Amino acid sequence: MGRGRLRIYLGAAPGVGKTYAMLGEGHRALARGRDVVVGFVETHGRRRTAEQLDGLEILPRQHLRHRDAEFTELDVDAVIARRPKVALIDELAHTNVPGSRNAKRWQDVEEILGSGIDVISTVNVQHLDSLNDVVEQITGVPQRETVPDEVVRRADQIELVDMSPEALRRRMAHGNVYEPENVDAALSNYFRVGNLTALRELALLWLAGKVDEQLDRYRADHGISGTWEARERVVVALTGGPEGDTLVRRAARIAARSKGADLLAVHVTRADGLSSSADLASLTRQRALVESLGGTYHQVVGDDIPRALLDFARGVNATQLVLGASRRSRFAQILARGVGLTTAALSGSIDVHLVTHEATHHPGRPPASRAVLTRRRRTAGWAMALLAMPLLTLALLPFQSDLTLPSQILLFLLMVVGVALVGGMWPALTAAVFGFALLNWFFTPPVHTLTIHAPENLLALVIFVLVAAMVSTVVDLAARRTREAARSSAEAEVLSTLAGQMLRGEPLLERLREIYGLTSVTLLERAGESWRIVSMAGGPPCTDPGSGDTDVVIDDDLVLAVRGRLLDAADRRVLEAFAAEAAVALRHQRLREEAEAARPLAEADKMRTALLAAVSHDLRTPLASAMAAVESLRSTEIDWSPADRRELLATADESLVKLHRLVENLLDMSRLQAGVLGLSLQHVSLEEIVPKAAADVGDKVKVDLPADLPEVMADPILLERVLVNLMGNGVRYSPVLVTASSHGSSVEIRIIDRGPGIPPEAHDRVFLPFQRLGDRDNHTGVGLGLALSRGLTEAMGGTLVPEETPGGGLTMIVSLEIVS
């Protein structure tokens, strides 16, 4: 049985028509003969949405009771037991009522998909985890129901349900979204034109990123290397030279001309390490500049710089490539076209910009000569060995009578050294042997024979061959050593880059894939007799070590496998070093996860220790007072007067009330720590709750509330507990004033006292359990009042923060969300 397919309708805001579109697709699927059921749909009282349910089979919901109220949720078992082809399930980010099998509805959907049933669902952009904080900055409203981006990205199909801000506001004004009494508040707060425009842009950009992923996957699966100009991507090539800043800024301006264009910077390191003009400090500075402009930095390895640049540009589907004009002299440009012109000639559909800069007119000293003998140099060396020696012989023949044999040998030796410098050892040795024969035939008496009469001439010719051979060997050895040093420098640069990316938490496997031009890089871990993928970049991944072109065994359980090309021994050394670092990073990550998992246990243990200490110390006093009063009343040895009896009963009653309150606080704090505190959020009027809480505290509390306060979402019992705790804490030092006012989407309740206050540096510490901040009275509680108050407030979706009272004292601000 295969996994079901997930289709999601994505909207920028409530009311754009996601549920309506989902139900419309359900009707179309039903008309095509597919078995469709409604698992859970929330109409929110919208007439046209409710009409769309007609003709669709609606499965019964699961009924749950929570804090004396009944709720309905998606019945996962009913959907799986019914086994339809398609299930319509609304509000993917919904948080289930406590007591449900899963905490989130997207987890319910995962179960249904796993049973082979297709699901169509809906989600708003403000519920995506990665955009949650951005949406709160835009709208001022925190979104507590979220869904991980990866869950939505894994959907087989995502469709944007779009509507202009003006059209959505007209829908609201006509009463098609909210009840008429809530329309004005919604239009003036969350549904302002600016908010809706920003949310719409977020939705479009997020979906564009998803489309990019699908396009890259399609191009990779079908082997498409040509550029598709679906979106502007500007690549700027950096050499580490002084022109880099100019190029980056120019590329950023080019990218800024197109909305949503990407800026990518790339530095090509030669496979032999000969990037002698690259300045690591300049590259680091230019990288920071690129990232500050919203771009990304990449590094690749390649022998042929123009082809490496174009391979990278085509790999990221770039449309434009920005290069710096050549810093070489005009004479050097005549001998070779250079990187810029060669890249432009090979670019095909990619636009190449050659940007002039200050360094163009001040080339400075030329780059160090390349020590690696390219095919061109070896060909030139062989040509010199085979052609230049006969030409030199022809040039010396007219002067045969004027030059002695030692002079002729020195000239031939000079030519051999030139061949060695150009072509290396083997062309030079060939030139030496060829020169020996030419010197013997044309210049050593008797001429035109291979016979040598004079011993000194034979010695001179032998020495000539030996010196030529030694010079050739030394030149070739120097080239090899230089190549090895350059290679080591390149490896060090690559490892330095990867180490820096590891410290910054960047995707290392992706960077490694880019640097070596690989198709995919996969970190595999042994799972019994098979292997599982721990992390990967590119695609398709290696499913076992043998399926890659190169694999590096890290230990008995970890293997790094790569696809794309066979790596030589030098590249493999770097890969092994990186693989070891990747394994260390993986272990550190798992240790951090284990530490995070153990942290709640440590906190719970710390809490239990503190509770025991509190119980042994702070609960003893009221318990002892109550016991003493009861024992005195039970005593038959003393005849208590009615007044004494009343006083003893009052003492016992006061002590037991105090004991009851302390035990309640301890139990609620334990429930908060365990995450099992029951909530019953509902519409609450502060005009009812605040005076009631003030009456419980006493006549030292003055309440001054405006008459037009909106209702808030809260648990009335818990809210009253919070206010009683805060007021009771304040009246210990001075009379307390309680006021409230609405601000945007929330109401702030202020509990103001004129006591000694709290130092600003202790504002956070005062909310830790069992803290009294130097309070000498250790008999009035266990230091849980403020900690419990903040915990209860946050459980209701609000905040509790302290603030200095102007003129002295402390103001506690309870902020709660307005009913929308």
Side-chain angles (χ1 to χ4, degrees):
M1 179 178 60
R3 177 181 170 86
R5 295 174 60 83
L6 175 61
R7 179 172 182 173
I8 293 177
Y9 285 94
L10 175 69
V16 296
K18 302 180 303 300
T19 305
Y20 190 89
M22 178 186 70
L23 293 172
E25 177 60 26
H27 280 287
R28 287 189 290 273
L30 190 64
R32 292 193 297 266
R34 304 198 71 192
D35 184 13
V36 181
V37 301
V38 175
F40 190 101
V41 166
E42 187 62 69
T43 64
H44 297 288
R46 297 164 191 165
R47 178 179 55 81
R48 294 186 61 192
T49 303
E51 290 173 354
Q52 281 283 81
L53 289 170
D54 293 341
L56 294 174
E57 178 184 351
I58 303 175
L59 294 183
R61 299 183 181 185
Q62 181 183 18
H63 291 265
L64 297 169
R65 292 198 64 80
H66 179 64
R67 292 188 64 86
D68 299 328
E70 186 170 289
F71 300 87
T72 61
E73 293 288 359
L74 170 67
D75 193 333
V76 178
D77 292 330
V79 175
I80 296 175
R82 171 63 175 73
R83 299 207 58 76
K85 291 295 184 182
V86 181
L88 309 181
I89 301 174
D90 207 5
E91 298 181 354
L92 189 65
H94 172 74
T95 301
N96 292 333
V97 172
S100 302
R101 179 159 61 193
N102 296 308
K104 293 283 191 175
R105 183 164 293 160
W106 65 263
Q107 294 170 322
D108 295 337
V109 169
E110 286 292 316
E111 280 194 46
I112 295 170
L113 290 170
S115 66
I117 300 171
D118 293 349
V119 173
I120 304 177
S121 189
T122 64
V123 72
N124 277 331
V125 70
Q126 68 262 29
H127 297 303
L128 296 172
D129 255 343
S130 64
L131 301 178
N132 188 256
D133 55 341
V134 179
V135 172
E136 184 175 354
Q137 290 174 2
I138 293 170
T139 64
V141 179
Q143 300 292 332
R144 292 179 175 81
E145 291 190 328
T146 61
V147 58
D149 286 46
E150 185 57 31
V151 173
V152 182
R153 287 189 185 279
R154 285 202 306 265
D156 300 278
Q157 186 175 348
I158 301 177
E159 184 172 333
L160 180 67
V161 182
D162 191 28
M163 181 176 288
S164 69
E166 294 77 12
L168 179 56
R169 285 171 60 85
R170 281 197 301 272
R171 284 198 66 198
M172 295 192 64
H174 294 156
N176 294 330
V177 179
Y178 291 142
E179 295 297 327
E181 59 270 19
N182 297 325
V183 169
D184 290 339
L187 289 174
S188 60
N189 289 283
Y190 190 91
F191 288 86
R192 295 194 296 269
V193 172
N195 289 359
L196 295 176
T197 303
L199 292 173
R200 190 186 187 198
E201 183 177 20
L202 281 178
L204 291 169
L205 290 176
W206 189 93
L207 190 60
K210 167 69 175 176
V211 173
D212 278 344
E213 292 177 6
Q214 293 175 333
L215 179 60
D216 290 343
R217 192 180 307 118
Y218 178 85
R219 282 162 49 86
D221 292 344
H222 291 78
I224 299 172
S225 58
T227 300
W228 288 5
E229 297 187 21
R231 180 178 179 179
E232 289 289 345
R233 286 182 176 83
V234 182
V235 173
V236 54
L238 300 179
T239 64
E243 74 281 2
D245 292 5
T246 302
L247 298 182
V248 169
R249 292 190 174 93
R250 180 59 183 274
R253 290 196 295 274
I254 293 173
R257 293 170 190 164
S258 299
K259 187 68 174 176
D262 293 332
L263 174 64
L264 303 93
V266 60
H267 171 63
V268 178
T269 301
R270 294 186 189 274
D272 53 25
L274 298 176
S275 53
S276 57
S277 61
D279 182 345
L280 186 57
S282 296
L283 278 175
T284 303
R285 187 186 69 254
Q286 289 160 13
R287 174 187 183 133
L289 176 61
V290 169
E291 292 174 346
S292 70
L293 293 172
T296 57
Y297 177 87
H298 309 264
Q299 184 169 334
V300 298
V301 173
D303 286 314
D304 189 329
I305 291 181
R307 292 192 181 279
L309 284 174
L310 290 171
D311 287 345
F312 174 82
R314 292 188 180 108
V316 298
N317 202 24
T319 54
Q320 303 190 59
L321 181 58
V322 178
L323 302 168
S326 177
R327 286 182 281 143
R328 302 182 308 149
S329 65
R330 291 187 181 275
F331 180 74
Q333 293 181 45
I334 292 173
L335 296 178
R337 290 195 300 179
V339 172
L341 294 177
T342 305
T343 304
L346 300 174
S347 63
S349 60
I350 300 176
D351 297 335
V352 177
H353 302 264
L354 289 177
V355 179
T356 58
H357 46 84
E358 287 297 322
T360 307
H361 309 294
H362 306 284
R365 59 174 187 164
S369 62
R370 296 178 61 185
V372 174
L373 301 181
T374 63
R375 177 177 297 179
R376 180 182 296 180
R377 287 185 60 178
R378 290 196 299 270
T379 303
W382 283 109
M384 288 179 64
L386 298 176
L387 299 177
M389 303 302 279
L391 291 175
L392 177 61
T393 301
L394 291 175
L396 293 179
L397 283 176
F399 306 100
Q400 186 173 4
S401 59
D402 299 327
L403 295 174
T404 62
L405 182 60
S407 300
Q408 294 161 342
I409 290 175
L410 287 175
L411 290 172
F412 271 81
L413 181 61
L414 179 62
M415 183 61 69
V416 171
V417 171
V419 172
L421 291 174
V422 173
M425 181 174 66
W426 293 110
L429 290 176
T430 302
V433 174
F434 195 17
F436 175 87
L438 292 173
L439 282 168
N440 188 3
W441 184 268
F442 289 104
F443 302 106
T444 306
V447 296
H448 305 305
T449 68
L450 295 178
T451 305
I452 301 174
H453 284 172
E456 64 271 15
N457 291 341
L458 177 61
L459 178 63
L461 290 175
V462 171
I463 291 174
F464 160 74
V465 174
L466 292 175
V467 170
M470 288 188 290
V471 170
S472 302
T473 304
V474 169
V475 170
D476 187 71
L477 183 63
R480 290 177 184 275
R481 293 291 180 265
T482 305
R483 183 169 65 251
E484 290 171 2
R487 182 76 197 194
S488 299
S489 174
E491 291 175 0
E493 184 178 348
V494 170
L495 288 173
S496 172
T497 301
L498 292 173
Q501 290 164 346
M502 184 178 294
L503 290 174
R504 288 188 293 272
E506 297 182 9
L508 298 182
L509 297 187
E510 178 60 29
R511 291 294 179 261
L512 186 68
R513 187 188 68 81
E514 287 178 354
I515 287 173
Y516 286 108
L518 301 168
T519 304
S520 69
V521 181
T522 311
L523 184 61
L524 298 168
E525 185 175 35
R526 189 184 300 277
E529 297 299 323
S530 60
W531 295 86
R532 70 180 186 89
I533 298 173
V534 177
S535 183
M536 62 162 289
C542 301
T543 55
D544 59 80
S547 62
D549 295 318
T550 303
D551 61 87
V552 174
V553 178
I554 303 172
D555 54 32
D556 293 339
D557 296 323
L558 288 175
V559 172
L560 188 70
V562 303
R563 276 182 177 166
R565 64 184 178 92
L566 289 173
L567 299 180
D568 58 26
D571 289 338
R572 187 180 177 89
R573 284 199 305 271
V574 177
L575 193 66
E576 288 172 350
F578 168 76
E581 292 297 328
V584 171
L586 176 63
R587 294 188 182 101
H588 284 177
Q589 177 186 347
R590 289 180 173 173
L591 286 174
R592 285 195 298 270
E593 290 172 355
E594 291 175 3
E596 289 296 327
R599 183 172 298 169
L601 297 177
E603 292 293 333
D605 185 64
K606 181 179 178 182
M607 174 66 71
R608 281 193 295 269
T609 303
L611 284 172
L612 290 173
V615 168
S616 65
H617 180 272
D618 291 313
L619 299 188
R620 187 180 302 166
T621 300
L623 186 60
S625 299
M627 289 177 62
V630 172
E631 288 179 0
S632 299
L633 288 171
R634 291 181 60 191
S635 174
T636 56
E637 298 178 357
I638 302 176
D639 186 16
W640 299 102
S641 66
D644 291 336
R645 284 183 175 275
R646 284 194 298 272
E647 184 176 350
L648 288 172
L649 286 172
T651 300
D653 181 63
E654 181 183 352
S655 299
L656 291 173
V657 168
K658 191 179 297 181
L659 185 63
H660 178 264
R661 184 168 296 171
L662 292 176
V663 171
E664 263 194 341
N665 283 348
L666 288 169
L667 291 175
D668 281 345
M669 181 56 70
S670 298
R671 294 189 188 102
L672 274 175
Q673 293 289 327
V676 295
L677 182 70
L679 286 175
S680 177
L681 295 180
Q682 52 189 273
H683 299 188
V684 172
S685 171
L686 294 179
E687 287 87 346
E688 298 177 5
I689 299 296
V690 175
K692 186 177 178 182
D696 287 347
V697 176
D699 56 4
K700 294 181 71 175
V701 178
K702 179 182 178 182
V703 177
D704 184 11
L705 300 179
D708 57 347
L709 274 179
E711 291 185 333
V712 297
M713 286 298 295
D715 184 313
I717 297 174
L718 295 185
L719 178 58
E720 184 178 346
R721 286 277 306 282
V722 169
L723 296 176
V724 168
N725 276 343
L726 296 177
M727 294 176 191
N729 190 67
V731 297
R732 295 169 58 193
Y733 309 103
S734 74
V736 168
L737 172 64
V738 182
T739 65
S741 58
S742 60
H743 299 273
S745 61
S746 63
V747 168
E748 291 184 354
I749 308 169
R750 294 175 173 263
I751 297 93
I752 306 167
D753 70 55
R754 295 289 179 178
I758 299 174
E761 62 271 12
H763 278 181
D764 288 331
R765 187 157 56 92
V766 74
F767 290 103
L768 296 176
F770 314 109
Q771 296 290 324
R772 293 196 184 86
L773 294 182
D775 191 347
R776 296 180 181 178
D777 180 8
N778 288 336
H779 305 288
T780 57
V782 293
L784 281 177
L786 292 181
L788 182 60
S789 297
R790 170 171 277 189
L792 295 177
T793 304
E794 291 177 350
M796 292 184 290
T799 60
L800 171 59
V801 294
E803 185 181 273
E804 292 186 35
T805 303
L810 181 68
T811 298
M812 287 292 182
I813 305 173
V814 178
S815 179
L816 296 170
E817 188 175 344
I818 295 175
V819 175
S820 61

